[in-house]
Structure formats: structure tokens, C-alpha cells
Amino acid sequence: MQLKTASVLVIDDDMDVLTAVRLLLRPEVQEIVTEKNPENLRSILSKKNFDVILLDMNFNSSINTGNEGLFWLRKIKEEFRSDAAVIMITAYGDIDLAIRSLKEGAFDFVVKPWHNERLLTTIKEALNQKENKVSPKTNLNGAFFDNELLGQSDAMLDIFYKIKKVAPTDANILILGENGTGKELIAKAIHHYSNRNKQPFMKVDVGALTESLFESELFGHKKGAFTDARDDRMGRIEAANGGTLFLDEIGNISLHQQAKLLSVLQNRQVIRLGTNQPIEVDIRLVCATNVSLNDLSNEQRFRKDLIYRINTVEIIVPPLRKRNGDILLLARHFIKVYSNKYLKPELELDKVVLDKLMNYSYPGNVRELQYAIERAVIMCEDNRLQAKDIIFSPIESALAEDTSSNATNLSDIEKNTILRVIEKNNGNISKAAKELGITRTALYRRLSKYEI
């Protein structure tokens, strides 16, 4: 939603504040309404819907709770049933209350005296979120689930149903799916709809942890426990206490690491390195992997008792090539996101582009589609995306092509693709990384890996 078409309501008992906001917003928005007395809110909101409400945290009123802003925020959200995005106006000393207001449903807060550009940016962000936000009814009917986890295919509707069913429980969840399918988004959705959503969501990519770092990162350590342990440190499991612990790529950890993790999950206790003192933890466990744990178990690479412990409910995320009904939905979403990010006009899709998007196999799944759309939006020269703007990742395409041709050495395929793209871009690493659909850091890691 554009700022120029927005209607904004400002409630503050300081006339200087009302005047300042009115002067700032009058040339920027379609309508600006100011109100000194919050007790008139019911009457105002019964006559008109607003896109954004700026609400002061403190009023000299009959409420006298010390945090009147929270009182009126609850009224706006619960009793007056307004769907306006609420931005709290607070003094520096009330920041703790302002942060609390975020948990009560406020979009954000600004601190007096504010910077005009910061206030305008916050209002724009609130309008963008409000436009993208989906009502609970739409969620349940399956147009899409939230701002990031999108889908309307039967496979995704089944996943949304499972999320709604399992989220309020404390059941351990195992999410299975190829790289780039959105396993982390599903884990976040489970946490968001759980009873632990006001507590931490802690992600650990356990597959990337070395043997030496595994225990320190997960369980924590005491000062002096090893050479670089200069301070006491809380581990990720302890940091997730009360909330959700998301272990990504769990299929890649060693048998030794599995035994350590199983002990923690069974006893619900962690022991920091360098101590013998157990610390009680209360976590909800969500794990993800792109590997079949049954295959690993059959090959004696994964403990069956750990599989049973982490796999109370299993959610299988289908690859994008099996979600044809979601491809255009996702493409349009990413076009909208990146058009806003790169200050482009609303872009239309040429019919040839639609065919190109629908006929591709997406070996890199949703992540590959996202990067392809981002590049296309950047390169687009007018208001219509054309087929030449859509370039899929050379790495993913080469891997898919050579895998289908029964190629066995995937490392050679990736190395050769990197060399070819770097040569094409005359050694420019930034351009090569962009064409490959990866970050400069990721490309440098691969260069080191292959000793290029």
C-alpha cells in the first residue's frame, strides 16, 4: 500500500505533538486525523477505518494506570476490533513498556523526539505489512499461510493443516524435504502458533558444527574449559529454555554427537563443558533434514532411538516441482517484495514468462525461484518482466542436468560450473556470485573447497 493513499489517526494529549505530526504527514498521506482525548476513540473508529494509528503511551486521563497506552492498545485491538497497524509513541524512559506493547499487538514504536524520516519509514513498513497480512480465515482456507510461507496446492494445504494441529502441542517435530523447500519457515510457523511463541525460537545449523564446536555451542561452557573459553557461556539449548529449539540438518551429525544429544533430550538437562552441574531445560524440539533418516538408520549412520525421540510427528515438504499450483503465487509474491525493495514500479508478467516459470523443474526449489525473481526485477528495464529477464541458477541447472544424465561426481560438476561462470565474468567475483545465485562469501567458500 502506498503512503499517498493511507489514512492515519494520531492520538496524543500534547498539542505540540499533534501539530508536528499533522504538518509532517499532511503532504505525505491521503488523510490525517488528530485526537487529543483517547476516550473518543470508540466514536472515531466506529465511523471510519484507518490504515495506521499513532498512539501515545501516556495520557493525563481518568485511567491513571501508568501505562495508558497499553490500555488503549488493547481496546483498539480487542474491543474496537480495528485492523489498523498501531505504532506507539513513547518517551525514552518508557521503552520497556513500548517493547511490551509489541507483544500486545503493536506494530512498532517510535521514541520522542523522533526523526521525521524514521517515522515515515515506520509508517511505510506498517502499511506494507498490513497489505501483505492474511486474515485467519484466509489462512484456514489456504490461499497462503503467512507472509512468507505461501501455498495453495493440495500438498501445502495438508502441511498448513498439520501445523495448525501440532503447533499448540509440545510434540517433537521432524521436517523432511530438499534444500530450499522452506523447512525453516515451517519450523518458525510451528513456533509462532504454539503456546511458547512469546519465548525464544533458537535455530542451530548442527550440520555445520565441527566435533569440537558441537558441545560448546549446544551445551555451553565454563571459563577455562578449553583454550579459547575466556568467559562462561550459555549454550543454545539453554538459551531456548521455555521456547523452541530448531536443529537444522540433523541428518549430518555424527554418531558421537547423536549420543550426546539423545542424553540431553532424555534427561531434559544440559551440562556445560568444564562443569558437572546439570541445568534443567524445558524446550520444544523441531528438527529438519534433507536426508532420509530411515536410510541413514539402515546404513547404521543414525541412531534409531534418536529418530523415535525427535520424530513424534513428521512433516514432509514437497519439492517445488511437485507444487505447480504454487509457482505463480510465489513468483508474484517475490516480484512484489523485490519491486518494493528496489523501488521499481509494479511489474507485470509476460505470458512467455509464465510459461517459462511453469515449465522449469526448480532443482533449487523455492530458494532458486526467489533468487531468479530478484535478479529479474533488478535487470528488468520496463514495467513488464520478459523471458530474457528470468535466468535460473547455472549451478542448480548443471546439477540437475548432469544428475539426470547419471553423472556421479557432483563436486566436479559444481567446480566446473563455478570456473565457467567466473571466466565468463572475467574474474569478477561479485558478478559471478550473483549469476550463480549465491553470496560472495558462499562463493569464496567453494573456491577454497576446490582450491580454485
Side-chain angles (χ1 to χ4, degrees), residues 29 48 60 63 75 94 101 105 108 116 128 145 164 186 217 224 255 285 290 306-307 314 373 376 379-380 389 407 438:
V29 302
K48 179 171 178 57
N60 297 318
I63 307 299
K75 287 280 190 182
D94 292 327
S101 74
D108 204 345
N116 287 345
N128 287 336
F145 197 74
K164 287 288 190 181
I186 290 174
E217 284 293 316
L255 287 169
L285 182 66
N290 62 351
L306 181 55
I307 292 178
E314 186 176 277
I373 294 297
M379 300 305 295
C380 182
D389 298 320
I438 59 179

XYZ file of all heavy atoms in Angstrom, residues 29 48 60 63 75 94 101 105 108 116 128 145 164 186 217 224 255 285 290 306-307 314 373 376 379-380 389 407 438:
221
model
N 0.273 11.797 3.158
C -0.799 10.789 3.204
C -2.091 11.370 2.658
O -2.242 12.588 2.499
C -1.014 10.279 4.646
C 0.271 9.688 5.212
C -1.541 11.388 5.563
N -15.063 5.362 11.020
C -14.074 5.284 9.934
C -12.991 4.269 10.250
O -12.595 4.106 11.402
C -13.432 6.661 9.702
C -12.381 6.634 8.593
C -11.910 8.001 8.229
C -10.827 7.938 7.154
N -11.262 7.239 5.945
N -2.763 12.110 30.415
C -3.293 12.634 31.666
C -4.797 12.440 31.658
O -5.571 13.348 31.389
C -2.942 14.118 31.823
C -1.439 14.329 31.899
O -0.744 13.572 32.560
N -0.955 15.361 31.217
N -7.837 7.194 33.440
C -7.423 5.786 33.569
C -6.354 5.637 34.644
O -6.441 4.791 35.520
C -6.891 5.249 32.225
C -7.917 5.497 31.113
C -6.539 3.775 32.323
C -9.245 4.808 31.363
N -7.800 -1.917 23.838
C -9.149 -1.501 23.427
C -9.260 -1.490 21.900
O -10.244 -1.973 21.325
C -9.457 -0.099 23.974
C -9.709 -0.046 25.463
C -11.120 -0.480 25.794
C -11.471 -0.199 27.243
N -12.835 -0.669 27.572
N 10.199 5.086 28.810
C 9.121 4.092 28.751
C 9.381 3.016 27.693
O 8.456 2.335 27.253
C 7.783 4.779 28.439
C 7.312 5.652 29.592
O 7.591 5.286 30.748
O 6.687 6.689 29.332
N 4.454 -3.506 24.483
C 3.314 -3.244 23.601
C 3.412 -4.061 22.313
O 2.389 -4.392 21.710
C 3.225 -1.750 23.266
O 4.237 -1.361 22.342
N 0.430 -6.553 20.422
C -0.154 -6.375 19.097
C 0.233 -5.105 18.367
O -0.200 -4.891 17.228
N 5.016 -1.363 15.959
C 6.346 -0.850 16.275
C 6.176 0.339 17.207
O 5.046 0.724 17.555
C 7.069 -0.431 14.989
C 8.596 -0.436 15.140
O 9.063 -0.473 16.296
O 9.296 -0.387 14.118
N 12.066 12.622 11.578
C 10.939 12.562 10.643
C 11.060 11.406 9.653
O 10.081 10.708 9.369
C 10.806 13.892 9.889
C 10.256 14.988 10.777
O 9.715 14.717 11.855
N 10.397 16.233 10.352
N 3.031 -1.721 4.481
C 3.421 -2.898 3.695
C 3.020 -4.183 4.399
O 2.511 -5.115 3.779
C 4.946 -2.895 3.455
C 5.360 -1.854 2.446
O 4.565 -1.441 1.611
N 6.602 -1.413 2.520
N -0.381 -19.139 4.036
C -0.400 -19.337 5.487
C 0.032 -18.108 6.258
O -0.601 -17.702 7.198
C 0.505 -20.524 5.831
C 0.265 -21.063 7.203
C -0.852 -21.800 7.492
C 1.179 -20.824 8.208
C -1.066 -22.304 8.751
C 0.978 -21.328 9.480
C -0.145 -22.070 9.750
N -1.318 -26.342 12.077
C -2.381 -25.902 12.987
C -2.664 -26.940 14.066
O -2.957 -26.610 15.217
C -3.666 -25.622 12.190
C -3.630 -24.365 11.349
C -3.691 -23.118 12.221
C -3.904 -21.876 11.365
N -3.933 -20.647 12.187
N 8.639 -23.384 8.051
C 7.655 -24.247 8.706
C 7.952 -24.338 10.194
O 7.039 -24.277 11.035
C 7.643 -25.641 8.044
C 7.052 -25.535 6.639
C 6.858 -26.651 8.881
C 7.122 -26.799 5.824
N 28.721 -25.157 21.547
C 27.619 -24.369 21.004
C 26.280 -24.800 21.595
O 25.444 -23.967 21.931
C 27.579 -24.504 19.478
C 28.639 -23.709 18.754
C 28.446 -22.210 18.893
O 27.299 -21.743 18.763
O 29.434 -21.510 19.147
N 37.579 -21.314 30.964
C 38.729 -22.177 31.163
C 38.504 -23.621 30.787
O 39.417 -24.448 30.931
N 27.610 -40.030 14.926
C 27.034 -40.914 15.951
C 27.400 -40.438 17.356
O 26.581 -40.528 18.282
C 27.516 -42.349 15.727
C 26.900 -43.074 14.520
C 27.644 -44.377 14.250
C 25.412 -43.340 14.741
N 11.190 -29.325 20.723
C 12.201 -29.638 19.727
C 11.586 -29.777 18.338
O 10.625 -30.517 18.142
C 12.927 -30.934 20.093
C 14.063 -31.359 19.156
C 15.216 -30.361 19.234
C 14.548 -32.758 19.511
N 17.482 -32.821 5.007
C 17.183 -33.142 3.611
C 17.559 -34.586 3.302
O 17.558 -35.000 2.145
C 17.929 -32.193 2.668
C 19.438 -32.319 2.809
O 19.943 -32.975 3.708
N 20.168 -31.658 1.918
N 17.244 -42.209 18.630
C 17.154 -40.752 18.475
C 16.069 -40.390 17.468
O 15.357 -39.389 17.647
C 18.507 -40.186 18.031
C 18.585 -38.666 17.849
C 18.145 -37.939 19.106
C 20.002 -38.236 17.442
N 15.924 -41.203 16.414
C 14.844 -40.963 15.454
C 13.499 -40.971 16.157
O 12.656 -40.083 15.959
C 14.859 -42.019 14.327
C 16.089 -41.852 13.435
C 13.593 -41.903 13.470
C 16.204 -42.883 12.337
N 5.876 -36.216 11.846
C 6.728 -35.988 10.686
C 5.984 -35.128 9.658
O 4.833 -35.398 9.336
C 7.106 -37.336 10.067
C 8.111 -37.266 8.944
C 8.495 -38.661 8.466
O 9.385 -39.290 9.092
O 7.882 -39.149 7.496
N 13.827 -14.515 -9.389
C 12.923 -13.356 -9.460
C 13.644 -12.086 -9.022
O 13.475 -11.017 -9.623
C 11.666 -13.600 -8.606
C 10.816 -14.738 -9.191
C 10.838 -12.321 -8.502
C 10.261 -14.485 -10.567
N 15.705 -10.953 -11.824
C 14.858 -10.481 -12.919
C 14.337 -9.070 -12.632
O 14.312 -8.218 -13.529
C 13.697 -11.444 -13.131
N 17.109 -6.571 -13.205
C 17.508 -6.406 -14.603
C 16.396 -5.872 -15.489
O 16.663 -5.384 -16.588
C 18.004 -7.746 -15.167
C 19.206 -8.335 -14.427
S 20.610 -7.212 -14.324
C 21.049 -7.079 -16.061
N 15.153 -5.959 -15.034
C 14.020 -5.538 -15.863
C 14.128 -4.056 -16.231
O 14.398 -3.214 -15.370
C 12.716 -5.809 -15.126
S 11.251 -5.394 -16.083
N 14.660 -11.862 -18.858
C 14.997 -11.409 -17.511
C 15.096 -12.570 -16.528
O 15.729 -12.437 -15.476
C 13.936 -10.414 -16.998
C 13.853 -9.160 -17.849
O 14.923 -8.673 -18.266
O 12.733 -8.687 -18.114
N 25.424 -38.634 -14.016
C 26.755 -38.217 -13.595
C 26.943 -38.590 -12.132
O 26.013 -38.534 -11.350
C 26.905 -36.706 -13.771
N 24.346 -17.190 -5.484
C 24.859 -17.375 -4.136
C 25.559 -16.100 -3.695
O 25.804 -15.194 -4.492
C 25.851 -18.569 -4.058
C 27.044 -18.355 -5.007
C 25.139 -19.880 -4.366
C 28.078 -19.474 -4.969
